[in-house]
Amino acid sequence: MVIAATGPTRPGRAASRAFATSAGHSARMRSSLTPLGPPVSRDRIITSFPKWYTPDACLQLKEHFHGQVSATCQRRNTGTVGLRLSKVVVVGDLYVGKTSLIHRFCKNVFDRDYKATIGVDFEIERFEIAGIPYSLQIWDTAGQEKFKCIASAYYRGAQVIITAFDLTDVQTLEHTRQWLEDALRENEPGSCFVFLVGTKKDLLSGAACEQAEVEAVHLANEMKAEYWSVSAKTGENVKAFFSRVAALAFEQSVLQDLERRKSTRLQVGDGDLIRMEGSPPETQESTTSSSLGCC
Ligand SMILES: Nc1nc2c(ncn2[C@@H]2O[C@H](COP(=O)(O)OP(=O)(O)OP(=O)(O)O)[C@@H](O)[C@H]2O)c(=O)[nH]1
Ligand SMILES: [Mg+2]
């Protein structure tokens, strides 16, 4: 099986989309990243922190970027974050509407006909968040059992896991627990944001949707996930949902980058401290060179 590979997009200049499908032992690139492209479209520009769907099941309640993140973005000092892609993996039973959700967001289309995903597909969507370019690599996986082993090979390295279920089919909600477990197994504990998404909201009345959401919100809390109800058919909540995903992933990336840079500075700082305390010249030299080596 050939694994689809992408390089990082060039912020502000790169084309936004790469798309690959793998089926059994074959894989094909439908298109590839091109070096030049249009600027980020206006509806992908995020300036204020997108709000949760319900405060009863959300990953964080605050409505502003973390103070450190805002300050870092204002100074345009986000290190490599603006060059990075965050990997998002969408899992869930067959026919729940994973592909439709992604296509609504990335292509603004909806197809009434069902075409099963074979293996995996992915889309790259570019954003500009707090003035910094940022991209999501959104992996669409197959829900059919026979393709599960292909799809699960792509779970690794996810920063975000989206578990989708059909709001009109309670069984698909029950299965999300297993989908999440499988996806988490391939990733470092505590390294992923988890979302639980109820699809096909347009098929339910307001009251029926509220009823389905009670159970979903309960499960979302057990999963430590943020809950959203969406409709790929009407587009309801789709953009708001992915904006929220992008903002949370971006904020985490900036904070991790700051943390990494801080610990690098601390290592260098330790070396300086030893020198200032008057160690013999040969120790000074070895300390300095090992500090440089670290960086
Ligand atoms: N009414 C309605 N139908 C939807 C919605 N989303 C998806 N569907 C329909 O549900 C069917 C399945 O959608 P897909 O997006 O192909 O499902 P999937 O989860 O990707 O399925 P697999 O690729 O087999 O895992 C299709 O016929 C879609 O048109 C929605 O929001 N509303
Ligand atoms: Mg699909």
Side-chain angles (χ1 to χ4, degrees), residues 266-277:
L266 277 179
Q267 281 175 27
V268 175
D270 285 349
D272 290 345
L273 192 64
I274 290 166
R275 211 168 40 239
M276 281 165 71
E277 283 175 353

Side-chain angles (χ1 to χ4, degrees), residues 13 53 57 72 103 113 115 148 173 198 232-233 260 262 284:
R13 302 186 64 217
Y53 176 72
T72 307
H103 284 187
D113 300 326
K115 292 182 205 78
K148 210 173 168 183
L173 173 65
K233 187 176 179 185
R260 211 179 47 241
K262 200 166 86 185
Q284 279 183 25

Side-chain angles (χ1 to χ4, degrees), residues 91-112:
V91 296
D93 280 3
L94 76 157
Y95 204 76
V96 296
K98 300 178 296 295
T99 302
S100 302
L101 173 64
I102 296 167
H103 284 187
R104 168 58 79 191
F105 180 63
C106 296
K107 305 173 177 178
N108 200 21
V109 295
F110 175 74
D111 189 352
R112 279 175 48 192

Side-chain angles (χ1 to χ4, degrees), residues 36-288:
L36 295 172
V40 174
S41 69
R42 282 177 61 176
D43 64 351
R44 297 290 185 265
I45 296 176
I46 299 171
T47 49
S48 53
F49 208 87
K51 212 173 161 185
W52 27 260
Y53 176 72
T54 166
D56 297 335
C58 74
L59 290 171
Q60 63 180 38
L61 278 165
K62 68 184 177 64
E63 292 177 37
H64 305 283
F65 285 104
H66 190 289
Q68 254 183 309
V69 173
S70 299
T72 307
C73 293
Q74 260 166 23
R75 291 197 304 270
R76 297 284 187 274
N77 185 23
T78 49
T80 55
V81 169
L83 303 171
R84 276 224 303 264
L85 291 168
S86 280
K87 181 173 179 178
V88 178
V89 176
V90 186
V91 296
D93 280 3
L94 76 157
Y95 204 76
V96 296
K98 300 178 296 295
T99 302
S100 302
L101 173 64
I102 296 167
H103 284 187
R104 168 58 79 191
F105 180 63
C106 296
K107 305 173 177 178
N108 200 21
V109 295
F110 175 74
D111 189 352
R112 279 175 48 192
D113 300 326
Y114 172 54
K115 292 182 205 78
T117 302
I118 299 166
V120 289
D121 288 340
F122 75 84
E123 297 278 343
I124 292 178
E125 204 56 43
R126 293 165 61 226
F127 294 82
E128 186 188 294
I129 307 180
I132 306 298
Y134 195 68
S135 299
L136 291 183
Q137 185 185 46
I138 306 169
W139 288 81
D140 179 16
T141 65
Q144 284 192 29
E145 192 61 37
K146 62 182 171 185
F147 300 126
K148 210 173 168 183
C149 61
I150 303 171
S152 62
Y154 295 85
Y155 293 167
R156 197 160 304 153
Q159 193 177 346
V160 178
I161 298 169
I162 297 171
T163 49
F165 73 97
D166 182 339
L167 278 162
T168 69
D169 181 351
V170 72
Q171 270 206 332
T172 63
L173 173 65
E174 287 160 14
H175 296 160
T176 55
R177 224 189 265 271
Q178 187 60 50
W179 284 105
L180 178 62
E181 205 176 292
D182 293 347
L184 286 176
R185 199 179 305 123
E186 301 295 328
N187 288 286
E188 294 293 316
S191 67
C192 303
F193 284 126
V194 179
F195 288 84
L196 178 65
V197 176
T199 60
K200 310 188 186 180
K201 190 173 188 293
D202 58 285
L203 294 179
L204 273 77
S205 68
C209 184
E210 274 175 31
Q211 209 176 345
E213 284 181 350
V214 172
E215 213 173 320
V217 162
H218 183 75
L219 186 59
N221 283 315
E222 279 184 26
M223 290 171 149
K224 297 188 171 45
E226 176 159 312
Y227 180 73
W228 283 75
S229 291
V230 299
S231 167
K233 187 176 179 185
T234 64
E236 186 179 355
N237 295 336
V238 172
K239 188 178 158 253
F241 166 63
F242 278 105
S243 297
R244 176 86 176 162
V245 169
L248 282 164
F250 171 79
E251 185 172 76
Q252 188 191 51
S253 297
V254 175
L255 288 171
Q256 281 172 349
D257 201 67
L258 285 172
E259 198 54 42
R260 211 179 47 241
R261 282 192 275 166
K262 200 166 86 185
S263 66
T264 307
R265 272 201 304 274
L266 277 179
Q267 281 175 27
V268 175
D270 285 349
D272 290 345
L273 192 64
I274 290 166
R275 211 168 40 239
M276 281 165 71
E277 283 175 353
S279 309
E282 61 274 19
T283 315
Q284 279 183 25
E285 208 170 280
S286 64
T287 307
T288 308

